[in-house]
Each structure stands twice: as structure tokens, then as C-alpha cells.
Amino acid sequence: MEILWKSNILLILAYFISVVGASIKYNQRTFITAKAINFIDPTKHGFRVILLDEFLKTHLAPTLLPTLYITAIPFKKDEVAISKVFYPDTIYEDKQINISDLKEKAWYYLCIEWENFNRHNETTGTDCRIYRTLDRYGKGADTTVTDIEATDVSSQMFMFRIRSVVDFPIRITASLQGGNQASSPPSQVFHVTDSADLDVTFPYLKPDKDYGKLCILEEPLISGYTAMGRLITGMTMEKCYFENLKTKDYELSMFDSEASAFKRAAMASKTFSKPVFWLLFILSSLAGILIGQR
């Protein structure tokens, strides 16, 4: 009887604990992916960030007790990240936040983070972009490529020269995209740690074909942590150049090369014949004068 009585008590306690536990809702932390940045205005020593209206209404409503963080993670080695904290009463009406004390003409991961609370959950999120501060003349940049030119276009090859200005490690991938070809030539990949001129070559192309545009993918090989401790890495920038890159027709290309060779030979012949002509003219004139004197 005593054992049965104790077992009944245990069953009652277990049922009571399960009912009480079911009525308790524990707070959960949820990470969401949402766009927070509407526009970023770089300055010489910082950034002014305009936030999206929908983001403000959904995630920064004062009733949610939100907190907003902005972090600038530098690409240059041995420099530390800079962070600032904001609360709704300082940003909800202005819709903008600022960060300063950054380096001039420097690249950064710029991250907006937030956290808010409702009755049962805590919500967090991050929106990061790559930006550069202005230089001393007030000029900005959305790519590390400062100059690009097509050095040779033939019936079977494209050649380009790219100037990349960096002071941090970066992977640069050049590819042809958007043409009417079933397959594109392999991409050209470069690892750069300092400013350099890169020669990009796409050989073995088909004559008289459209290969689209030259696209440059830039991936800074830099990582860093935000104010909330999130690791940021692997972000990229991409920009395309030229339109409707087309190889030359093979026969016309060969004709042009032969014509060019003939033209060079003719020009060389003309260049050589002029001095000879004037030399003969002078000699004949002198001979005439000497004969006349006799």
C-alpha cells in the first residue's frame, strides 16, 4: 500500500509539473534577414546612413524597445573596428544615423544591426555593405578598379588591362557574361595584396561572335566582427564594363593583318626612297655645275 501511495504521488507531481511547464513560454532569440539600409552617403571620415521606412516601422517601433548598432570594419590591417549604439528616440524621426572618426579614402564593411523584444521573443538582424570613404578631393568609389582598357580584340582573343588600387588582400575574378554563346571561356582569377596592373586574356574564342560584357568580381579577403559579435566575411562587389564584346571576323581579320603588313612595308620603302632621291638630285646638280664650269 505504501509503495502504491508513493507512486500515485509521483504521478500527480509529474502531471502537475507538465501542466505548469506547458503554460510557461520561454523567450526565444530569432535571427532574421531584412534590409535596413536605404542609402549611404560617404564623407571623408565617415558615413551617413539613411534607413528604410519599412524597416523603421517593422523593427524599430518604440514599443519593441529596440536597439540599433552601426559598425565600420576596416579592410586595412592593424586598424580596429568602430561601433556606435542608437535608440529609437534619436533615429525614428530623422531616419538616419552617422558614424565618424574613420580614415580618409579607406574601405570598410559597414554593418547595421538591431535587436528588439516582444512578449515572448527577441529578434535580431544584420544588413552589411561594402563602402569607401571619400578622398581628399571629395571623390568616392564603388570599385577598386580605377582604369580598364581593351588592349587587343582579334578573331580569337580578347585582351584587357585592369588597374586595381588596394592596400589589402583581395581576389579579383574577370569573366565574360551575357553573350549569345552556349558556353563562356574560363574566368581569370587574380590574388592581389597591393596596387597592380592586371593583364586579362581570353584566348581560343570563336570568330565573329558576341561574348557580352567584361565583368569584374571583387572579393576582399578580410574578415571582422560586428558590435554584436557576428563574423563578417565573404562579401563581394561586381561591376561590368563594355557592351556587346564581339570578336572579329576571321577572314576580315586576316585581310586587315595582311594589309597592315603591306602598308608597313610600303611606308618603309617610301621612308627609305626619299633620302636616296634627294642624294641623287644633289649629286646630279653638282655634276651639272662642274660640267658648266668647264
Side-chain angles (χ1 to χ4, degrees):
M1 288 295 295
E2 184 177 358
I3 295 175
L4 181 62
W5 179 73
K6 289 182 179 180
S7 63
N8 290 335
I9 291 177
L10 290 175
L11 290 174
I12 293 172
L13 287 174
Y15 175 77
F16 178 76
I17 291 173
S18 65
V19 171
V20 173
S23 64
I24 297 175
K25 295 183 178 180
Y26 296 98
N27 287 340
Q28 296 181 350
R29 192 172 192 181
T30 304
F31 178 83
I32 63 171
T33 301
K35 291 185 177 181
I37 300 171
N38 183 26
F39 177 75
I40 291 183
D41 184 21
T43 65
K44 289 185 180 181
H45 299 286
F47 300 98
R48 182 173 67 95
V49 182
I50 310 299
L51 301 173
L52 287 166
D53 290 341
E54 185 63 27
F55 168 74
L56 289 168
K57 294 177 183 178
T58 305
H59 301 289
L60 295 189
T63 55
L64 297 176
L65 302 176
T67 306
L68 189 72
Y69 306 86
I70 180 172
T71 305
I73 303 171
F75 286 3
K76 197 168 184 180
K77 190 178 180 180
D78 300 328
E79 292 187 4
V80 297
I82 296 178
S83 300
K84 289 181 68 176
V85 183
F86 297 88
Y87 298 97
D89 55 346
T90 60
I91 61 174
Y92 200 78
E93 293 183 1
D94 294 337
K95 302 178 183 180
Q96 65 176 342
I97 55 177
N98 298 274
I99 189 167
S100 57
D101 300 325
L102 305 181
K103 298 290 184 180
E104 186 179 281
K105 196 181 177 181
W107 288 93
Y108 293 88
Y109 290 131
L110 193 64
C111 295
I112 303 298
E113 294 179 285
W114 66 92
E115 59 181 353
N116 57 48
F117 299 89
N118 58 26
R119 180 174 296 179
H120 304 301
N121 296 306
E122 176 185 356
T123 302
T124 68
T126 305
D127 187 8
C128 296
R129 313 283 175 87
I130 298 176
Y131 279 92
R132 200 204 75 176
T133 53
L134 304 181
D135 62 14
R136 67 176 65 183
Y137 305 107
K139 184 179 179 181
D142 57 0
T143 174
T144 68
V145 175
T146 60
D147 187 39
I148 183 169
E149 64 174 327
T151 56
D152 187 22
V153 176
S154 67
S155 61
Q156 296 179 313
M157 182 172 61
F158 289 145
M159 293 184 66
F160 304 93
R161 177 160 294 170
I162 299 171
R163 174 68 174 171
S164 178
V165 178
V166 294
D167 55 3
F168 54 87
I170 186 173
R171 181 186 296 117
I172 296 178
T173 303
S175 61
L176 297 175
Q177 299 180 18
N180 55 15
Q181 300 304 301
S183 61
S184 297
S187 300
Q188 305 293 302
V189 181
F190 304 88
H191 289 81
V192 181
T193 58
D194 203 353
S195 299
D197 291 318
L198 309 175
D199 291 321
V200 179
T201 303
F202 297 102
Y204 311 117
L205 304 181
K206 296 180 180 180
D208 197 25
K209 299 295 182 180
D210 182 7
Y211 282 88
K213 299 175 288 187
L214 174 67
C215 294
I216 308 298
L217 180 69
E218 302 166 82
E219 183 181 355
L221 303 178
I222 300 294
S223 62
Y225 290 91
T226 64
M228 297 183 69
R230 291 190 176 91
L231 176 65
I232 305 300
T233 187
M235 297 185 64
T236 61
M237 302 178 288
E238 186 173 28
K239 195 171 183 179
C240 296
Y241 305 85
F242 307 108
E243 292 286 344
N244 305 117
L245 284 168
K246 189 175 182 180
T247 52
K248 294 182 178 181
D249 182 86
Y250 182 76
E251 293 182 358
L252 293 176
S253 179
M254 291 298 295
F255 176 79
D256 289 342
S257 65
E258 291 174 359
S260 299
F262 176 78
K263 186 182 295 184
R264 286 194 298 270
M267 290 297 293
S269 176
K270 289 180 180 179
T271 304
F272 175 75
S273 63
K274 283 183 179 180
V276 173
F277 170 78
W278 285 110
L279 179 60
L280 294 174
F281 176 77
I282 293 170
L283 290 175
S284 63
S285 300
L286 291 174
I289 293 171
L290 292 174
I291 293 170
Q293 288 178 351
R294 290 181 181 179

